[in-house]
Amino acid sequence: MSDLRLVVVGAGGRMGRMLMRAVTEASGVTLSAALERPGAPVLGEDAGLLAGVGALGVSITDDVDAAFAGADGVLDFTVPKATVAFAQAAARAGITHVIGTTGLSDEDNALIDDAARQTVIVRSGNMSLGVNLLAALVRRAASTLDMEFDIEIVEMHHKHKVDAPSGTALLLGEAAAAGRGIYLKDHAQKVRDGHTGPRRAGDIGFATLRGGSVVGDHTVIFAGAGERIELSHKAEDRGIFARGAVRAALWGRGRAPGLYSMADVLGIRDI
Ligand SMILES: NC(=O)C1=CN([C@@H]2O[C@H](COP(=O)(O)OP(=O)(O)OC[C@H]3O[C@@H](n4cnc5c(N)ncnc54)[C@H](OP(=O)(O)O)[C@@H]3O)[C@@H](O)[C@H]2O)C=CC1
Ligand SMILES: O=C(O)C1=N[C@H](C(=O)O)C[C@H](O)C1
């Protein structure tokens, strides 16, 4: 079988560079194009030199249609507005779209859902094996423990991160809510400030820390009367997300159009 031809968008970003490295290191895939936004300072640079893997002869471009026309899939860790446009372009081109971008609004997600009627889209707030396994464990814990256990989710990321709570924290919140048989949107407590009054029974709370170079730490706390259970994941290297994205693109090959998650890719939806 021929190599899967992948485009990395947001090529100049922290994840973009890591994705280009992961594509060159994985077997069965090849980097067919690397995209940045019009006017980005890295346009015209060699993608491999930018990623620190040696020259690849692939120049960073802003020509979306040309890049997608010569590809089988796109790896996208950028910003919400760009991701929605890439989903629509990927649908037109009929190529797999792997979305790692977080901070997507309900409106953004609805447009992505539309695009997924025409092509394969894998979307996840976290592409690592560890976090997706953690989510399955959180769902199981939440379904086992009664409502006396208060659920709080604490996350810490590097100081450049622009969205909160993190996509992973929300993914873990969704897992906890699913375990309890409730909707996260009805029970999420994302901000506390001032005289808040006592904790509302059944809420799922979020706390956000930002600083330094932290790649991504998440802990889900089940706080009961007289005991506390904590389930944690600590990311030490962005390579775990990039390798997960490549795996998702390979998994998407030949699938029916639709919206999929990393739990589908990893085969852990039902554990
Ligand atoms: N799901 C997961 O496993 C993970 C998700 N993420 C998420 O990925 C996203 C990116 O994170 P990170 O790499 O740290 O952020 P960066 O800001 O380093 O990278 C984003 C890149 O996207 C570029 N970009 C913006 N608009 C466009 C456009 N229209 N076309 C092409 N490129 C564009 C930016 O360019 P410029 O700066 O010039 O505007 C920048 O290079 C975030 O939402 C983050 O939360 C991160 C890690 C793991
Ligand atoms: O912005 C990041 O860096 C990360 N974003 C994702 C998130 O919002 O959860 C995944 C990971 O934690 C790193």
Side-chain angles (χ1 to χ4, degrees):
M1 197 185 285
S2 58
D3 273 5
L4 197 70
R5 298 164 301 168
L6 295 177
V7 184
V8 170
V9 295
R14 277 175 291 276
M15 279 305 300
R17 293 167 202 236
M18 195 55 82
L19 288 162
M20 294 191 294
R21 197 173 310 161
V23 172
T24 59
E25 287 170 357
S27 51
V29 291
T30 189
L31 184 71
S32 61
L35 266 169
E36 254 299 342
R37 62 172 175 78
V42 296
L43 288 179
E45 283 187 33
D46 185 277
L49 293 179
L50 192 62
V53 294
L56 293 172
V58 175
S59 299
I60 312 288
T61 175
D62 60 3
D63 189 340
V64 179
D65 289 337
F68 283 23
D72 304 302
V74 51
L75 308 181
D76 176 359
F77 291 59
T78 57
V79 294
K81 190 169 175 223
T83 290
V84 169
F86 289 137
Q88 292 163 341
R92 282 195 302 275
I95 64 174
T96 298
H97 189 193
V98 177
I99 301 177
T101 307
T102 58
L104 296 160
S105 66
D106 290 346
E107 291 74 26
D108 296 332
N109 281 321
L111 292 168
I112 290 167
D113 293 349
D114 279 348
R117 293 211 203 102
Q118 280 172 264
T119 200
V120 175
I121 298 186
V122 180
R123 181 182 62 199
S124 178
N126 196 301
M127 298 274 171
S128 75
L129 170 63
V131 157
N132 285 281
L133 178 60
L134 176 66
L137 299 175
V138 165
R139 194 178 64 231
R140 174 68 69 89
S143 70
T144 305
L145 298 168
D146 63 28
M147 295 291 283
E148 292 305 307
F149 282 82
D150 297 322
I151 303 177
E152 294 282 314
I153 300 175
V154 184
E155 55 113 334
M156 181 161 189
H157 283 85
H158 55 93
K159 60 179 158 196
H160 304 290
K161 185 161 179 62
V162 294
D163 56 306
S166 69
T168 309
L170 294 170
L171 181 161
L172 294 169
E174 293 286 1
R180 276 203 167 159
I182 59 173
Y183 290 109
L184 181 62
K185 66 176 171 47
D186 299 334
H187 295 274
Q189 182 58 256
K190 294 182 182 166
V191 181
R192 293 189 181 106
D193 184 29
H195 186 85
T196 62
R199 190 181 198 284
R200 213 173 54 171
D203 272 359
I204 296 178
F206 292 85
T208 299
L209 310 181
R210 293 286 177 267
S213 58
V214 178
V215 174
D217 291 355
H218 294 87
T219 297
V220 181
I221 303 167
F222 295 87
E227 61 180 333
R228 200 159 72 237
I229 300 156
E230 299 188 357
L231 299 175
S232 292
H233 179 270
K234 292 190 187 341
E236 296 171 353
D237 176 354
R238 289 186 176 82
I240 59 174
F241 312 128
R243 289 191 291 276
V246 172
R247 184 167 172 173
L250 282 165
W251 178 89
R253 188 175 219 168
R255 301 250 163 213
L259 184 66
Y260 300 95
S261 71
M262 272 313 274
D264 295 316
V265 173
L266 298 168
I268 59 172
R269 183 174 272 290
D270 298 320
I271 65 168

